[in-house]
Amino acid sequence: MKQLIQATIAILVVSALLFYAADALSAGGGKSGKDTLTIFNWGEYIDPDLLKQFEKETGIHVIYETFDSNEAMMTKIQQGGTAYDIAVPSEYMIEKMKEENLLIPLDKTKIPNLKNIDPYFLDLPFDEDNKYSVPYFWGTVGIVYNPKLVGNLDFSSWDDLWDPSLNRKVFLVDGAREVIGMGLNSLGYSLNSLNGHELREATDKLITLAPNVKAIIGDEITPLMINNEAAVALTWSGQAADMMSENEDLDFAVPEEGSNLWFDNMVIPKTSKNIDGAHAFINFMLKAESGAQNADYVGYSTPNIEAMKLMDKEVVSDERYYPTEEQRDTLEVYKNLGPDYLGKYNELFLEFKMSIR
Amino acid sequence: MKKLSASARVYLAIVFIVLYAPIFYLIFYSFNSGGSMNNFESFTLEHYIAVFEDSRLLVILINTVIVALLSALISTVIGTLGAIGIVTVKNSKMRNTLLSLNNVLIVSPDVIIGASFLILFTMIGIKLGFASVLLAHVAFSVPIVVLMVLPKLLEMNKSLIDAALDLGATKKDVMMRVILPYIQPGIFAGFFLALTYSLDDFAVTFFVTGNGFSTLSVEIYSMARAGISLTVNAISGLVFFVTVIVVVGYYFITSRASKRTGGTQ
């Protein structure tokens, strides 16, 4: 009995000490209590230094939380429970959140640094006139490959994926829009096509790719490519950048026929309790210095022109991540197809998946 | 104890290698200055320093331990009382029903428990954060404690209680001096199992965290999306180290307890 009581007391004392330690650590940025900003972002998607800088500059205490998928993020925002002031969804999710009335329109007078953003990345179909969102990072869909394992192919064309030498060597991301879009692009069609014939043709062409496909998977592609266990993968440029930083052999290409341009944008959810603070944070992140520092840390492509001037020349002139205007003209942002056509895309993707043995 | 045959020893060695190799592989690379798990360049402590410099990560680590300790403690108290309650139920049909209900909670998927907690908490207006995570962890740990304490209670001889009552013990004395000391090993086992359950739970925790409160499992999961960085290795190494200390502590507690009961018998 004595032991049980001793153990209980010991646990309570240790917990109290830890509580004290955690409190001391998190209060490091100045105890403001009332004026806090809750940010919901992807994992490892910001330089923690920037948060400290922001706290110092504005005196607003930042609570930072992470999520690992757009869907999970939206569920938590919809459910309430936490008052998130900033979230960073991808473009298709912004459209969905707009429809569900989960976002607050931005007050542009409070975001003067918006002028630093390349106009090319503004006023896009998923959020016209940037009423609700401001670009955070962007990228493309393309092919990451290991030159040691694929021979002479350079994937300047999508058709290279159909090369017989790649039998059972191709990995695809598990996304209907990405894969069907690739099929459409390879035929020279728009990846937002609503034309039944084009979709049919693209799917038929994809089915002939089946012998080359080894698997359709998600994030597991990263370790497989890094460890030289896979030769070719269709993936997003951000993921490709991660792979290439771990394995120097790898290369990334966006085929000439065109591809998808994706965005992760900052938005202010309806749950926000500190709308002024949220605007201040967005403005802070759009500063040239912050943009450059963040892009250096995270390794994705920044939409901030002024920031690019401050960055390493070698990085911003790398056409794999910062395509030239000419290349950009071939890129397309996903349009919201509406539930009917999204269903059609999913159905065709399923048909393609079933053709793989 | 009988001596193991050579083949049995080899088998045992292989089992332990398979179990421990990934952990040591991971910890080994946490000292790599190369920045990736591909080739070992040279020894460095920079990843550990990075963990200690990132106060957010440290707070999360501490939060994880606090939640584990407190939820295990609370669920041990509730679970022990629950187990005693179940044993005292005379009607065997009723008792079996209670036990089955307890077991259903152990086998039901974490995702479903997590989602239902999220709905419950937001419905009754509990703010997501420390309290909600603690409550959820207590809830899924209680059935485990019940299951660890029950065998000890069932194994206890009823006449022990009768004898104590005959000798003039009050009900409180019976509880404090007979039942609790007897089932103490079960209580400790329940506590430590609840502790580990809480430490590594992702699915339930993910749903009920919020307002800046996070635990290690949730954090590592979203970090891993951008590829496993060596900071994750370093933090996993630290957690492994803490676990070893806890296990050693558990060993000392149980060996002291068994020595004591051995002495008085």
Side-chain angles (χ1 to χ4, degrees):
Chain A
M1 192 59 211
K2 226 167 99 193
Q3 275 173 19
L4 286 175
I5 294 168
Q6 276 172 359
T8 310
I9 292 170
I11 292 161
L12 288 175
V13 168
V14 170
S15 307
L17 285 176
L18 288 173
F19 251 125
Y20 182 73
D23 203 43
L25 274 170
S26 56
K31 249 191 179 153
S32 46
K34 261 188 215 160
D35 215 6
T36 56
L37 190 72
T38 311
I39 299 170
F40 207 22
N41 198 354
W42 299 85
E44 307 239 300
Y45 214 37
I46 198 168
D47 183 343
D49 258 4
L50 286 170
L51 296 178
K52 280 182 202 151
Q53 275 180 37
F54 176 72
E55 287 189 330
K56 218 183 231 169
E57 254 177 49
T58 58
I60 297 175
H61 179 60
V62 173
I63 297 174
Y64 189 75
E65 274 186 56
T66 54
F67 58 86
D68 71 305
S69 75
N70 278 304
E71 287 69 21
M73 182 261 330
M74 179 151 156
T75 312
K76 292 208 83 171
I77 286 182
Q78 240 174 348
Q79 194 66 41
T82 304
Y84 294 110
D85 298 307
I86 295 270
V88 190
S90 307
E91 78 289 301
Y92 74 97
M93 200 39 96
I94 293 174
E95 253 183 320
K96 225 169 159 180
M97 291 173 86
K98 253 165 51 182
E99 276 167 25
E100 308 257 338
N101 219 354
L102 291 174
L103 301 179
I104 290 175
L106 301 175
D107 180 355
K108 300 243 178 65
T109 56
K110 289 180 186 157
I111 320 174
N113 287 337
L114 197 59
K115 65 175 188 329
N116 292 345
I117 300 290
D118 189 339
Y120 179 80
F121 299 117
L122 297 173
D123 196 17
L124 291 163
F126 63 87
D127 182 23
E128 275 164 19
D129 201 26
N130 288 74
K131 242 182 116 183
Y132 297 96
S133 71
V134 168
Y136 185 70
F137 280 119
W138 62 278
T140 54
V141 170
I143 297 168
V144 60
Y145 61 101
N146 191 332
K148 285 185 182 164
L149 300 175
V150 297
N152 295 327
L153 298 171
D154 65 357
F155 299 98
S156 55
S157 162
W158 287 113
D159 286 338
D160 286 353
L161 279 180
W162 273 262
D163 195 280
S165 70
L166 295 179
N167 193 13
R168 296 225 148 269
K169 279 185 182 169
V170 176
F171 285 80
L172 300 176
V173 289
D174 194 359
R177 292 297 303 264
E178 280 75 20
V179 176
I180 300 289
M182 173 193 93
L184 286 164
N185 278 147
S186 75
L187 289 163
Y189 300 140
S190 160
L191 46 68
N192 291 313
S193 175
L194 298 180
N195 180 323
H197 292 293
E198 291 179 4
L199 283 168
R200 185 70 255 158
E201 215 181 310
T203 313
D204 288 339
K205 184 168 180 189
L206 280 174
I207 288 170
T208 63
L209 179 68
N212 281 0
V213 176
K214 190 165 181 196
I216 299 181
I217 48 180
D219 286 346
E220 305 92 308
I221 292 178
T222 308
L224 285 170
M225 290 300 295
I226 290 172
N227 297 328
N228 294 333
E229 280 168 52
V232 189
L234 173 78
T235 188
W236 297 276
S237 60
Q239 213 179 5
D242 284 338
M243 296 173 195
M244 288 160 65
S245 69
E246 304 275 318
N247 183 344
E248 283 168 13
D249 291 341
L250 298 179
D251 206 346
F252 179 72
V254 179
E256 283 160 7
E257 294 97 337
S259 182
N260 162 238
L261 184 68
W262 59 258
F263 285 94
D264 288 334
N265 282 20
M266 290 184 275
V267 299
I268 306 180
K270 268 265 154 72
T271 55
S272 172
K273 286 195 174 139
N274 187 357
I275 297 174
D276 282 343
H279 279 97
F281 182 78
I282 292 176
N283 197 44
F284 172 81
M285 289 309 289
L286 295 186
K287 276 203 319 196
E289 296 80 24
S290 329
Q293 191 180 337
N294 207 25
D296 276 341
Y297 182 89
V298 178
Y300 282 49
S301 312
T302 178
N304 192 325
I305 300 190
E306 297 301 317
M308 283 169 71
K309 288 178 187 158
L310 303 174
M311 288 166 65
D312 193 349
K313 286 259 149 31
E314 221 171 285
V315 175
V316 289
S317 62
D318 190 335
E319 287 173 12
R320 294 175 301 192
Y321 301 119
Y322 292 93
T324 58
E325 256 171 64
E326 204 177 311
Q327 286 169 300
R328 277 194 215 159
D329 285 342
T330 64
L331 301 176
E332 276 180 283
V333 182
Y334 290 133
K335 284 192 188 128
N336 189 9
L337 302 172
D340 287 354
Y341 272 97
L342 202 60
K344 176 96 180 145
Y345 270 69
N346 283 331
E347 205 177 288
L348 292 172
F349 185 47
L350 191 66
E351 188 187 329
F352 164 60
K353 271 183 169 175
M354 289 198 301
S355 71
I356 296 166
R357 304 169 200 282
Chain B
M1 203 168 124
K2 259 199 303 186
K3 259 200 165 173
L4 288 170
S5 69
S7 56
R9 237 181 271 172
V10 169
Y11 174 73
L12 204 61
I14 291 173
V15 167
F16 271 95
I17 288 170
V18 168
L19 287 178
Y20 276 88
I23 297 172
F24 284 124
Y25 181 75
L26 186 127
I27 292 176
F28 176 70
Y29 275 102
S30 72
F31 295 108
N32 182 14
S33 68
S36 79
M37 302 251 286
N38 291 326
N39 46 5
F40 195 87
E41 277 176 20
S42 65
F43 178 85
T44 175
L45 284 175
E46 62 176 291
H47 305 298
Y48 287 88
I49 294 168
V51 172
F52 284 104
E53 274 179 353
D54 189 345
S55 59
R56 199 178 90 81
L57 212 54
L58 268 190
V59 169
I60 289 172
L61 182 63
I62 294 173
N63 283 342
T64 311
V65 177
I66 294 177
V67 167
L69 283 175
L70 288 184
S71 73
L73 182 66
I74 298 170
S75 55
T76 306
V77 174
I78 299 175
T80 308
L81 294 177
I84 294 172
I86 289 177
V87 169
T88 50
V89 171
K90 291 271 149 40
N91 183 341
S92 71
K93 225 182 200 170
M94 183 74 183
R95 193 201 282 190
N96 279 334
T97 315
L98 285 172
L99 266 176
S100 313
L101 285 176
N102 185 61
N103 293 348
V104 165
L105 283 180
I106 291 177
V107 291
S108 52
D110 279 0
V111 202
I112 290 168
I113 296 181
S116 26
F117 271 124
L118 176 65
I119 295 166
L120 176 74
F121 289 150
T122 47
M123 206 172 68
I124 60 177
I126 292 182
K127 215 172 151 210
L128 295 184
F130 174 71
S132 62
V133 173
L134 185 68
L135 276 175
H137 280 215
V138 168
F140 70 68
S141 301
V142 166
I144 301 155
V145 176
V146 170
L147 219 60
M148 297 309 287
V149 174
L150 258 182
K152 274 276 156 195
L153 278 170
L154 292 176
E155 155 198 311
M156 195 169 87
N157 197 337
K158 269 274 163 58
S159 34
L160 224 55
I161 298 173
D162 295 336
L165 290 172
D166 281 348
L167 289 170
T170 61
K171 275 198 173 151
K172 193 183 152 210
D173 287 335
V174 172
M175 184 65 143
M176 295 294 185
R177 303 201 172 183
V178 182
I179 298 179
L180 281 183
Y182 192 89
I183 61 173
Q184 188 170 311
I187 294 176
F188 274 113
F191 173 79
F192 282 103
L193 208 60
L195 193 74
T196 51
Y197 254 67
S198 166
L199 277 178
D200 73 4
D201 176 78
F202 167 73
V204 176
T205 319
F206 172 77
F207 283 103
V208 294
T209 47
N211 288 305
F213 186 87
S214 184
T215 67
L216 211 52
S217 56
V218 177
E219 186 61 19
I220 288 185
Y221 204 82
S222 54
M223 274 167 100
R225 200 191 127 262
I228 306 275
S229 77
L230 292 186
T231 318
V232 175
N233 289 31
I235 210 162
S236 310
L238 289 173
V239 173
F240 182 72
F241 182 67
V242 172
T243 319
V244 169
I245 291 178
V246 170
V247 171
V248 171
Y250 176 57
Y251 171 78
F252 273 113
I253 289 172
T254 47
S255 68
R256 220 176 69 181
S258 69
K259 232 186 253 160
R260 225 189 241 185
T261 47
T264 49
Q265 265 166 11

